[in-house]
Amino acid sequence: MIGNRMIARNLIHNPKLRNFLLKIFGQKNFFWKLITPLLKAQKVMKGDCIFCKIVRGEINSKKVYENEKIVAFHDINPQAPIHILVIPKKHIEKIIDISDSEEDKEILYEIIKACKIIADQMKISERGFRIVVNTNPEGGQTVYHLHFHLLGGRQMRWPPG
Ligand code: 5GP
Ligand code: ZN
């Protein structure tokens, strides 16, 4: 991991090295696929994860629900009249990183329970709502700290696009 951190740091701060590697690998996409996990690992190690900052209260958020394991807050760029993000306090990058541990099972349960409680509170249970977990680039994930989108207050369409 220390090796990864050194490589990632050099890639960020050393344009010559970055261009050199880009030439070697030729394809930009392949290059970014290779280094993205390293950059993400470095960000998390530096405590740069935006949702971890929200959990620690270093970035303001409009919280609607919180317990020992999870926190829920309004999305900064809502895609529906009700758009809440429900996240674990523990840094888990994405849904496919959930392990078989009791802790992770409890986290998943708490997230689903929170969605139900919030949907009830916001009076969208009966009308209906949608829960979305974007995963990895083609899934549209932009923040690599697991989050469940709870969307409601308007008619949802299908296919989602
Ligand atoms: P994703 O694209 O990863 O599925 O969802 C990330 C979500 O986080 C987006 O809907 C985006 O609007 C939201 N988001 C990003 N940064 C912040 C922030 O600082 N505060 C809040 N409340 N939401 C954020
Ligand atoms: Zn995080």
Side-chain angles (χ1 to χ4, degrees):
M1 192 47 104
I2 286 175
N4 282 357
R5 282 173 68 186
M6 275 176 60
I7 293 167
R9 194 170 295 135
N10 272 326
L11 286 169
I12 294 168
H13 297 300
N14 187 335
K16 274 189 185 164
L17 177 62
R18 200 163 53 225
N19 287 335
F20 173 69
L21 288 172
L22 266 173
K23 268 188 196 151
I24 292 180
F25 290 118
Q27 273 191 0
K28 272 192 178 176
N29 276 352
F30 177 68
F31 173 77
W32 284 116
K33 266 188 191 156
L34 192 78
I35 69 155
T36 298
L38 304 178
L39 297 176
K40 275 190 256 163
Q42 194 207 25
K43 268 186 152 194
V44 170
M45 290 175 105
K46 279 169 62 191
D48 272 354
C49 168
I50 200 155
F51 286 177
C52 282
K53 286 185 176 174
I54 285 178
V55 169
R56 293 195 296 265
E58 292 165 16
I59 291 180
N60 284 339
S61 66
K62 284 197 225 161
K63 284 184 192 159
V64 294
Y65 183 84
E66 182 170 12
N67 68 25
E68 193 198 332
K69 299 275 176 206
I70 61 118
V71 58
F73 51 89
H74 286 275
D75 195 293
I76 204 165
N77 181 23
Q79 301 301 312
I82 293 168
H83 187 170
I84 305 294
L85 298 174
V86 187
I87 73 168
K89 288 187 172 174
K90 172 184 166 186
H91 181 86
I92 299 171
E93 261 198 15
K94 48 203 165 188
I95 194 142
I96 49 180
D97 294 333
I98 289 276
S99 76
D100 283 335
S101 69
E102 285 309 310
E103 185 190 21
D104 283 8
K105 284 179 192 169
E106 204 179 324
I107 284 171
L108 268 192
Y109 172 74
E110 289 298 336
I111 288 175
I112 300 299
K113 198 174 77 178
C115 287
K116 175 181 153 43
I117 292 169
I118 296 162
D120 281 347
Q121 271 174 3
M122 301 199 168
K123 308 209 182 314
I124 53 171
S125 290
E126 291 306 315
R127 290 172 61 190
F129 56 84
R130 185 171 288 176
I131 294 172
V132 175
V133 185
N134 297 326
T135 305
N136 274 339
E138 282 197 11
Q141 186 171 7
T142 58
V143 176
Y144 281 81
H145 179 129
L146 176 63
H147 50 282
F148 283 45
H149 297 260
L150 172 63
L151 298 143
R154 68 164 166 82
Q155 180 61 54
M156 296 296 154
R157 287 174 289 277
W158 196 263

